Amino acid sequence: MKKLILPLFLMILFSAELFSQATVPAGEPDPARTGVTTAQQKLKEVSVNKFEDAGFWYGMMPADEGIIAVRRFEGSPLDKEPIEDEAVFGIVEEDKFVLGTKVSFYRRGVASFGIRPVRPIPIEGITKTISVWIAGRNTNHVLELMIEDHFGNEAYINMGKLNFSGWKKITVSVPPNIIQRDYHYNNKMGIMVTGFNVQCEIDETYGNYYIYFDDLRAVTDVFAEENRDLDDMNDSW
Amino acid sequence: MKRGSLFIIGLILLVILPVGSAFGDERTLKLESRVIESFDAPGDITFEDGNPVYWQVRGDKFSMEGYPKMAYAPETWPIDLFGKNPENRAELQAFGVNGRFVRQGYNTIEIIPGDGEGDNWTERELPLPGRVRMFDFWIWGSNYNYSIEAHFRDYMGMTHRFEMIPAGAGRQSPGSINFEGWRNMYIDIPGYVRQAQVHKPNYKGLVLTKLVLRTHPEEAVDNFYIYIDNLKVLTDFHESFYDGFELSTPEKMTEIWGAE
């Protein structure tokens, strides 16, 4: 009997491993393995922003480089998949619009522009990966994600080149050198999204450039959120 | 010689000698080159658990239907690597990719290692042995302005993407396969790619997730062929020894704590 246990156990372990890998496309960041420093995680995919209201976003661009306009459009990437928990708990949130950004360059040059939310968007838990749908126009511009932790430190995460055509989901890991937790407090953790930057490729800074955003999501570890001491005191006085 | 200068020389030696021996251990290398995939037959190498490695190709959304295709080219080898008439010529094969796209642009074809055949195939990253210093392979280019890159993942979950450098062409055209015939392409894995941790056991290996072929927007994509052979790493197998080393080996761990 004892001899059977080991192979059986290995089989279960191995099939679980296969399953976990099948769900992650090749080379995509795997939240379950990003910056693991504790024994248990509870990973959840959460919606950060669905870009439903263009009023909550604004564009910015140096005045001598061009003009930026931000507005919303009806539409959605067809390959977008519903968030598992939203389906399970029957959460229905409107998701009709995407955020469009049009940039008109005055001249060729070293240019960049940004898209910012009017207030930072916090993400619960310890964020492992962040994904967003982008409609690209085959340019070599580079997209950056701006984040800020709860202690005011800013960081920029490179989301890669926008050298694709049509909608594509871009996923990045939040590198483990970004400290998301202060060991003194267990209610101050995680990061906030403070916007996107596009660093333009100098050869392609002419005419009009369009970029569309939809469905900003994060996979986050909410283990600590759900495992606070019930009898702990609140430091908020 | 004055006694003062002797004293100074002695002092200098005193400082230099212990430092040299203290770091001597860390500097020890055990560099080996390993062929991690010879592409001589489907499934000719295995993962650690004994499952054979099967490669698949996957094009992005503007691929023509039914493409990209893959095949093993029989009796094919780079002459620079094996010579004109190798003994095992009947066994030597190369991995071929045939791609077609319906639109020009930065299209990609991913060449992915995986587990299982046919419909049961799932992506599975290929662990690389030792602490990898250099990664190289042979690729058959046909003067298309395309580029090729390798994707790795470290133990912290960070993805590292490197454009392969054509050997002999210098670094002016990283990734470019705009040449004819077989050529060796390599990359030096930079020191910032983590392959070890502070805690014991230190070793935390790198995995290869995929190779990505990327077309240039102004280049034709109607029908092209690429061949790849002989993935190889130059890797450092040295692990420094310390009192209690055996406690961090998997065998001893299993003996003490049972199988995980």
Side-chain angles (χ1 to χ4, degrees):
Chain A
M1 186 59 205
K2 222 177 174 184
K3 274 182 186 168
L4 265 172
I5 291 174
L6 182 65
L8 205 72
F9 188 81
L10 280 176
M11 247 169 70
I12 293 166
L13 196 79
F14 183 53
S15 57
E17 197 189 341
L18 265 184
F19 173 75
S20 72
Q21 274 162 356
T23 53
V24 180
E28 288 288 292
D30 182 353
R33 277 188 274 176
T34 303
V36 178
T37 50
T38 48
Q40 259 181 298
Q41 299 194 97
K42 185 163 188 175
L43 296 175
K44 290 275 176 202
E45 185 171 34
V46 296
S47 171
V48 180
N49 197 286
K50 292 181 173 164
F51 297 98
E52 289 308 284
D53 193 339
F56 288 147
W57 295 84
Y58 63 95
M60 52 193 291
M61 186 171 190
D64 55 346
E65 288 171 7
I67 296 169
I68 186 166
V70 174
R71 61 161 289 190
R72 72 177 187 182
F73 288 94
E74 250 182 75
S76 179
L78 287 174
D79 291 338
K80 198 160 73 180
E81 281 167 9
I83 294 178
E84 205 180 310
D85 276 355
E86 287 191 359
V88 169
F89 296 111
I91 299 170
V92 185
E93 212 181 2
E94 192 170 81
D95 188 8
K96 262 168 69 182
F97 297 100
V98 305
L99 189 77
T101 302
K102 176 184 177 181
V103 169
S104 308
F105 296 104
Y106 288 145
R107 68 184 84 81
R108 246 182 247 245
V110 183
S112 65
F113 60 90
I115 294 96
R116 305 267 188 277
V118 290
R119 295 283 182 276
I121 308 169
I123 306 175
E124 56 267 47
I126 304 294
T127 307
K128 300 290 183 180
T129 63
I130 295 177
S131 68
V132 64
W133 280 89
I134 302 282
R137 292 287 175 260
N138 259 328
T139 59
N140 276 322
H141 302 334
V142 174
L143 182 69
E144 273 178 359
L145 176 73
M146 286 173 64
I147 58 169
E148 190 180 315
D149 69 13
H150 277 283
F151 302 90
N153 306 308
E154 284 189 331
Y156 299 84
I157 300 176
N158 188 322
M159 296 194 94
K161 284 184 180 176
L162 297 163
N163 60 2
F164 47 87
S165 185
W167 286 107
K168 186 183 175 188
K169 185 183 177 186
I170 300 182
T171 310
V172 285
S173 317
V174 179
N177 61 319
I178 291 174
I179 306 298
Q180 299 194 42
R181 192 197 301 256
D182 184 324
Y183 58 84
H184 291 117
Y185 311 102
N186 68 357
N187 58 349
K188 283 188 178 176
M189 60 172 78
I191 52 171
M192 297 182 278
V193 173
T194 52
F196 296 94
N197 282 334
V198 177
Q199 307 287 351
C200 301
E201 166 76 29
I202 192 166
D203 288 343
E204 290 170 312
T205 52
Y206 59 88
N208 295 328
Y209 177 69
Y210 299 90
I211 178 172
Y212 302 87
F213 295 81
D214 196 20
D215 207 34
L216 182 62
R217 291 183 187 182
V219 177
T220 172
D221 173 18
V222 292
F223 184 82
E225 308 275 323
E226 297 189 357
N227 283 276
R228 292 212 180 106
D229 295 338
L230 290 172
D231 53 358
D232 200 357
M233 305 305 289
N234 198 349
D235 289 345
S236 61
W237 50 285
Chain B
M1 200 181 278
K2 279 184 183 172
R3 271 178 68 187
S5 54
L6 263 180
F7 176 72
I8 290 168
I9 290 170
L11 211 65
I12 292 169
L13 281 178
L14 210 69
V15 173
I16 292 172
L17 287 179
V19 170
S21 57
F23 288 103
D25 182 30
E26 299 300 314
R27 282 192 193 146
T28 312
L29 293 178
K30 216 163 84 184
L31 287 177
E32 279 179 40
S33 87
R34 290 264 174 102
V35 176
I36 52 168
E37 171 61 285
S38 62
F39 290 118
D40 285 345
D44 63 341
I45 54 161
T46 54
F47 290 108
E48 276 163 356
D49 55 18
N51 287 21
V53 178
Y54 291 103
W55 294 78
Q56 286 282 349
V57 290
R58 189 165 61 193
D60 67 3
K61 67 177 172 183
F62 298 122
S63 304
M64 194 177 138
E65 201 160 338
Y67 287 85
K69 287 180 176 173
M70 54 168 274
Y72 281 80
E75 289 205 38
T76 305
W77 65 90
I79 288 179
D80 267 1
L81 184 61
F82 293 112
K84 278 189 178 152
N85 201 5
E87 277 176 24
N88 55 342
R89 58 182 300 156
E91 294 163 22
L92 293 177
Q93 300 197 10
F95 185 80
V97 181
N98 176 206
R100 292 181 182 202
F101 290 102
V102 295
R103 211 187 269 190
Q104 283 175 306
Y106 292 103
N107 298 304
T108 57
I109 293 181
E110 296 167 303
I111 301 161
I112 311 164
D115 198 340
E117 279 184 285
D119 292 341
N120 297 322
W121 184 85
T122 48
E123 299 144 352
R124 183 167 172 194
E125 57 238 345
L126 192 63
L128 301 176
R131 303 176 192 204
V132 183
R133 291 293 188 89
M134 194 169 118
F135 171 78
D136 79 292
F137 55 71
W138 286 76
I139 182 161
W140 186 88
S142 43
N143 277 340
Y144 278 96
N145 188 9
Y146 297 163
S147 67
I148 190 147
E149 60 202 37
H151 290 228
F152 302 91
R153 177 157 45 213
D154 68 20
Y155 78 99
M156 287 300 262
M158 294 287 104
T159 300
H160 302 278
R161 181 191 73 99
F162 298 113
E163 274 163 317
M164 304 294 292
I165 313 288
R171 290 174 181 270
Q172 298 96 334
S173 51
S176 171
I177 57 162
N178 195 350
F179 47 72
E180 48 194 39
W182 285 109
R183 193 176 249 188
N184 188 215
M185 294 185 93
Y186 72 98
I187 36 156
D188 295 314
I189 306 286
Y192 65 75
V193 175
R194 296 188 210 182
Q195 302 190 51
Q197 60 175 0
V198 181
H199 316 112
K200 300 289 174 188
N202 301 104
Y203 175 67
K204 288 281 181 185
L206 209 57
V207 296
L208 174 73
T209 50
K210 60 186 172 185
L211 305 174
V212 178
L213 184 75
R214 201 180 286 274
T215 70
H216 190 271
E218 286 168 5
E219 185 58 284
V221 288
D222 53 335
N223 190 14
F224 61 88
Y225 300 89
I226 301 291
Y227 298 91
I228 293 179
D229 205 359
N230 220 58
L231 300 190
K232 195 170 98 252
V233 288
L234 178 67
T235 189
D236 180 5
F237 280 104
H238 180 74
E239 291 297 325
S240 54
F241 186 79
Y242 54 92
D243 189 1
F245 180 81
E246 73 285 351
L247 280 173
S248 65
T249 58
E251 300 79 40
K252 189 76 180 175
M253 300 270 277
T254 317
E255 191 189 322
I256 304 170
W257 303 101
E260 202 180 309

